Amino acid sequence: MSEAGQGDKPQQPDETMQLKVPESFRADETMQLRVSDIPEMLEMPESDGKGKPRSSKNRRKAPRPSLFVQVSSFLAPRLAPLLAVLAPYVARVTPYARKLRPQYPRPGRSDWRRWIPSWRQCLGGVLASIGLSSMLLVVAYAATDIPDNINSYATQQDNVYFWADGTPMARTGWVQRQAMPLKDIPEDVRWAVLAAENASFYSDPGISFKGISRALFRTIGQGDTQGGSTITQQYVKNVYLNQNQTVSRKFTEAMIALKLDNQMSKDDILEGYLNTSWFGRGTYGIQRAAQAYYGKDVGELNASEAAFLASLLKGAGLYDPTLNSVNRARAVERWSWTLDRMVDIGKLSKAERAGYTKFPEPLKTNPLYDTGEQSDYLVELASQYAKKAGNISDKDFDLGGYQIYTTFDKKRETQLTDAVTKARKDALKDDPENAKTAHYGASSVASDGRILAVYGGPDHRTQGYNESNATTVSAGSAFLPFVYAAGLENGVHKTRDGDTTPVTGETLYDGDDKVPVKTPEGPYWDRSGKVVAAKNDDGESYGQISLHRAMELSVNTPFMQLGMDTGLDVVRSTAEKSGLLSSSIGAQVPALSMGSSTPSAIRMASGYSTFAAGGKHTEPYSVRLITKNGTKVVLDTPAVDRAFGADVAEEVNSALADSFRTAHPDDVPASQRTAARAGSLGQVAGKAGTTQDDTAAWYVGTAKAVSTAVVVYRIDLGKSLQPLPLKGIAGTTDDSVPYGIWSGAMSPLG
């Protein structure tokens, strides 16, 4: 008799709370319930929750098959042959898998232990994860193809520079990469790179699992993105992929590296890596790096030099010792470590290592870049501005492919260069001893900020710095227009706390020589206890003189006092608003008004162009357009700011026009030989600049809304950076060399 037939008490569930299956019920081998055995279940109406059947019209619609079901139905017939092959193996594994099937809550356990998986289940989960991951990697490896074409990171392109009229001016980058066969690269050079980057290169499978894990962790987090990639991975990144630090890129890199390692020899991979890696200074490949840093071919490098070049692979901007002292310390440490590492892996003997105790200092500049042409100075200015205004990194810019359209006027550049070259030759002929240390800087800047021409030096190979952009010598009396503009714009203070008194061109000041400088409280005393007095050229005195006339005749003493009355802080501010760099402005002492500041020729021309522009200043710029592969690069537009009022600019420019007419009456254009000041912004205007210690001579002037500044000075660079007396190199007042260069560059003025 069945338990249900005993009737003295109701049937109770067992202690494991499991449903008892009647003995008469038969299950198949897979322990699955056959639907045909219980057809009544399919016909039973669904309850409404209160014991009553729910009507058919209220039944929920059958849910739409999930994506998984749809995919399964699509793949099932296609995977049937494979499943047929695997069926015997599945049958063997099934009994073991059944034991690993989780049962929750677990029978025979109590409390929290009912929910803890068994060791078999844990082991099964681990094995399943490993199997699934392996299968995914196999599929990814099979699905990954090595790209047919290498990307732009593998071959550097030219950067092409154009004149303002659109004609080509210069090209850079085309000599910065040269592939070298591995047999021509010394073993010491190869192993220096391998020791520093990937000592196990010849034995690894092309990837570093430890390095990938570390890189993945740092990429997902916000740490350092440099992971321990193998040389094969780095080669893949350089040649086939981009430099983005993303998980997908790193995964693709690893798959291609694995496949590449199976298809290419290790020597071929190493050769490609050494020829495509970036070493800074615009160079790609070990051959150009050897030439850029040591002026020799790669075959002439020793292990010490190679160890330094290997350090650049970590980042040339961090390890080029010529950039700053911090870089040098890093480079020395990395160089020493690389040599020690070569000893550790058996590629350098201890005796050889002992011979490399002194750091192999690289060349200061890249000889591949310096062609010696005047256009090199133009390229230098344009490239610096392009990278800053276009937000282009040094590395991306060195990769090339940019078209840089400059503001340089070819005709004006030729005239300026010819004028300076003639003056230099004349000086070497007349006074060869002093002319050897003479320097000439010049620049032309339009009133809208465009740099039209510069003279940077005689030869970029022998003089790497740009004289037109150097802040080396003081401006002298060429600085007076800024003092004048400050007084006209802001007025003066006769007493410390009194009201401001307006100043005009007719305001009178004492023009005598050696007039003591006064403050509202009395004479101005310097730190040595002496009363400071202004001096005029040649010690001349002029009595009471108007500011306009003082500017016309270049009388110093009125402007030294005007600077004190206006406020030296105001003078400084006006000069900076006009275009002079704050770093070049002199100390706030009375000598500031006499031109103790050291602006460059470019900045002096920019400052005078502010007068010609009616008081509006535009930061000087050398690039008007950049494109890359036909696409415009967004540039930061130079700002236009008002430095002072238009009436102030009119008066200063009028005084400068009178100064030009008085000093050079024979050079005044026929249309401007009247003394009338009306419309002075369109006249030729200019002023000479001298210093009391005779270390610099300037001429700065404007014609047709273009301002040109010329400076002549002497420095013996082999001894010091201290300016030397000119000793007649700059000519005389009647035969000024700076003015001769200026007039030649600006011709014709009419």
Side-chain angles (χ1 to χ4, degrees):
M1 181 180 294
S2 67
E3 293 177 15
Q6 295 178 0
D8 24 4
K9 63 179 169 176
Q11 182 178 348
Q12 299 292 331
D14 68 2
E15 61 185 14
T16 61
M17 300 300 291
Q18 297 188 42
L19 180 64
K20 294 291 186 177
V21 181
E23 295 180 359
S24 60
F25 181 77
R26 299 298 299 275
D28 65 8
E29 294 178 348
T30 60
M31 297 299 291
Q32 295 180 2
L33 186 63
R34 292 189 179 276
V35 177
S36 60
D37 292 337
I38 51 173
E40 302 82 10
M41 294 179 65
L42 298 177
E43 299 175 359
M44 185 177 296
E46 189 176 2
S47 172
D48 63 356
K50 297 180 181 180
K52 298 179 180 181
R54 183 178 297 165
S55 62
S56 60
K57 66 177 182 180
N58 292 328
R59 291 180 183 175
R60 296 179 181 176
K61 293 182 179 180
R64 185 178 181 180
S66 65
L67 179 62
F68 176 76
V69 173
Q70 297 179 49
V71 174
S72 299
S73 62
F74 174 77
L75 294 178
R78 292 163 175 78
L79 296 178
L82 177 62
L83 294 176
V85 175
L86 296 177
Y89 302 99
V90 173
R92 294 180 184 179
V93 174
T94 297
Y96 302 98
R98 185 183 298 120
K99 293 181 179 181
L100 296 175
R101 184 177 59 187
Q103 298 181 27
Y104 288 96
R106 291 180 60 199
R109 299 291 189 273
S110 60
D111 300 327
W112 57 270
R113 285 183 289 273
R114 295 182 301 163
W115 304 98
I116 302 301
S118 67
W119 67 269
R120 292 185 181 87
Q121 294 168 346
C122 293
L123 178 61
V126 172
L127 294 177
S129 298
I130 294 175
L132 182 60
S133 299
S134 300
M135 183 179 69
L136 290 175
L137 288 176
V138 170
V139 172
Y141 179 86
T144 300
D145 293 324
I146 298 176
D148 294 330
N149 298 320
I150 60 178
N151 62 24
S152 60
Y153 284 90
T155 55
Q156 185 185 13
Q157 302 178 60
D158 294 350
N159 283 330
V160 184
Y161 297 79
F162 298 89
W163 292 102
D165 62 3
T167 57
M169 184 183 77
R171 292 175 180 263
T172 62
W174 62 277
V175 296
Q176 300 296 332
R177 180 178 178 271
Q178 178 184 348
M180 295 290 290
L182 193 65
K183 63 182 180 64
D184 294 336
I185 302 176
E187 285 196 7
D188 279 347
V189 177
R190 301 183 218 170
W191 281 106
V193 172
L194 292 175
E197 293 293 304
N198 184 193
S200 62
F201 169 74
Y202 279 100
S203 60
D204 64 41
I207 64 173
S208 168
F209 294 99
K210 181 179 179 181
I212 291 175
S213 300
R214 181 167 60 250
L216 180 62
F217 174 80
R218 291 176 177 176
T219 301
I220 294 175
Q222 297 299 320
D224 181 9
T225 58
Q226 293 184 2
S229 299
T230 65
I231 278 181
T232 306
Q233 288 176 260
Q234 294 181 51
Y235 174 62
V236 167
K237 179 177 64 176
N238 291 343
V239 175
Y240 299 110
L241 304 175
N242 55 44
Q243 307 296 310
N244 297 335
Q245 299 290 343
T246 62
V247 175
S248 61
R249 202 273 296 155
K250 290 181 181 295
F251 184 80
T252 304
E253 171 192 299
M255 291 299 102
I256 296 178
L258 279 171
K259 184 160 286 189
L260 197 69
D261 192 74
N262 289 330
Q263 296 185 10
M264 289 179 65
S265 69
K266 288 288 189 178
D267 283 348
D268 287 343
I269 294 174
L270 180 59
E271 178 181 312
Y273 173 76
L274 292 175
N275 284 319
T276 58
S277 294
W278 184 66
F279 288 85
R281 294 193 179 184
T283 61
Y284 281 82
I286 192 69
Q287 165 71 352
R288 289 306 189 200
Q291 295 172 338
Y293 289 90
Y294 291 109
K296 60 179 70 173
D297 290 334
V298 64
E300 301 172 10
L301 293 176
N302 58 36
S304 178
E305 295 164 336
F308 162 70
L309 293 181
S311 70
L312 298 172
L313 295 168
K314 284 293 183 184
L318 298 175
Y319 289 90
D320 187 342
T322 62
L323 298 180
N324 53 61
S325 59
V326 176
N327 272 21
R328 190 182 188 282
R330 268 194 294 259
V332 172
E333 181 181 5
R334 183 74 177 175
W335 161 79
S336 179
W337 177 87
T338 300
L339 290 174
D340 292 340
R341 179 66 171 155
M342 291 178 69
V343 175
D344 293 341
I345 63 177
K347 298 302 177 181
L348 187 69
S349 68
K350 293 184 178 180
E352 290 175 311
R353 172 66 181 94
Y356 297 129
T357 58
K358 185 178 180 181
F359 179 69
E361 296 287 351
L363 301 174
K364 297 296 183 182
T365 59
N366 182 357
L368 299 175
Y369 178 85
D370 302 338
T371 66
E373 300 293 335
Q374 187 64 212
S375 61
D376 285 357
Y377 295 106
L378 305 181
V379 168
E380 182 182 60
L381 277 177
S383 63
Q384 290 173 352
Y385 183 85
K387 287 184 283 188
K388 181 179 179 181
N391 297 306
I392 305 171
S393 68
D394 289 340
K395 184 175 181 179
D396 286 342
F397 195 81
D398 288 342
L399 285 172
Y402 292 95
Q403 296 79 46
I404 299 98
Y405 296 86
T406 73
T407 61
F408 303 128
D409 185 298
K410 188 174 183 179
K411 181 179 178 180
R412 288 184 179 275
E413 178 65 30
T414 300
Q415 287 188 196
L416 180 60
T417 301
D418 290 346
V420 177
T421 301
K422 180 179 182 302
R424 187 184 292 277
K425 288 182 178 179
D426 290 344
L428 287 171
K429 180 181 178 180
D430 297 338
D431 189 354
E433 186 63 29
N434 289 321
K436 291 179 181 179
T437 55
H439 297 267
Y440 304 77
S443 177
S444 295
V445 178
S447 58
D448 59 3
R450 290 174 295 127
I451 302 176
L452 302 179
V454 300
Y455 180 84
D459 192 326
H460 200 272
R461 290 170 299 186
T462 58
Q463 179 178 291
Y465 77 93
N466 189 337
E467 289 181 344
S468 71
N469 205 26
T471 56
T472 308
V473 293
S474 58
S477 55
F479 187 82
L480 298 186
F482 303 110
V483 182
Y484 191 21
L488 292 172
E489 178 74 8
N490 300 279
V492 299
H493 292 274
K494 296 299 184 180
T495 60
R496 182 67 62 187
D497 300 320
D499 295 334
T500 300
T501 302
V503 170
T504 69
E506 302 304 318
T507 301
L508 299 178
Y509 267 80
D510 192 339
D512 286 342
D513 186 44
K514 298 182 180 179
V515 175
V517 177
K518 297 179 180 179
T519 68
E521 292 77 25
Y524 182 93
W525 303 78
D526 63 16
R527 293 184 177 181
S528 63
K530 296 181 180 179
V531 176
V532 175
K535 297 180 181 179
N536 291 326
D537 293 343
D538 300 326
E540 289 191 49
S541 294
Y542 297 85
Q544 292 293 307
I545 188 173
S546 70
L547 291 174
H548 185 100
R549 183 65 172 168
M551 178 63 65
E552 177 184 343
L553 300 179
S554 192
V555 183
N556 295 334
T557 52
F559 293 100
M560 194 168 190
Q561 185 60 52
L562 177 63
M564 295 297 293
D565 294 344
T566 304
L568 297 177
D569 57 334
V570 177
V571 172
R572 177 189 181 96
S573 176
T574 301
E576 291 178 3
K577 290 179 181 178
S578 300
L580 274 60
L581 296 177
S582 60
S583 58
S584 69
I585 303 297
Q588 287 186 197
V589 296
L592 173 64
S593 299
M594 292 295 98
S596 60
S597 301
T598 58
S600 66
I602 291 177
R603 287 291 170 169
M604 277 297 276
S606 175
Y608 271 58
S609 72
T610 304
F611 302 129
K616 292 182 178 180
H617 171 68
T618 305
E619 278 292 288
Y621 63 98
S622 56
V623 176
R624 59 183 178 84
L625 173 66
I626 301 178
T627 62
K628 185 175 184 181
N629 298 327
T631 303
K632 288 185 179 181
V633 176
V634 178
L635 296 179
D636 294 334
T637 305
V640 180
D641 300 307
R642 179 160 290 284
F644 36 77
D647 56 337
V648 172
E650 177 78 14
E651 168 55 30
V652 174
N653 215 67
S654 175
L656 291 174
D658 286 345
S659 176
F660 175 80
R661 280 193 292 269
T662 300
H664 308 282
D666 295 336
D667 295 336
V668 177
S671 61
Q672 298 179 17
R673 288 176 183 172
T674 173
R677 300 177 184 175
S680 61
L681 292 181
Q683 298 181 17
V684 178
K687 186 183 185 311
T690 57
T691 59
Q692 294 183 0
D693 53 6
D694 191 36
T695 55
W698 291 79
Y699 196 87
V700 190
T702 305
K704 295 182 178 179
V706 175
S707 298
T708 297
V710 180
V711 59
V712 179
Y713 58 97
R714 288 181 61 233
I715 290 181
D716 189 345
L717 296 175
K719 296 181 179 179
S720 73
L721 296 178
Q722 189 67 29
L724 302 172
L726 287 170
K727 294 185 176 181
I729 288 297
T732 64
T733 303
D734 296 331
D735 186 21
S736 167
V737 171
Y739 176 76
I741 296 173
W742 181 88
S743 61
M746 301 296 282
S747 179
L749 300 178

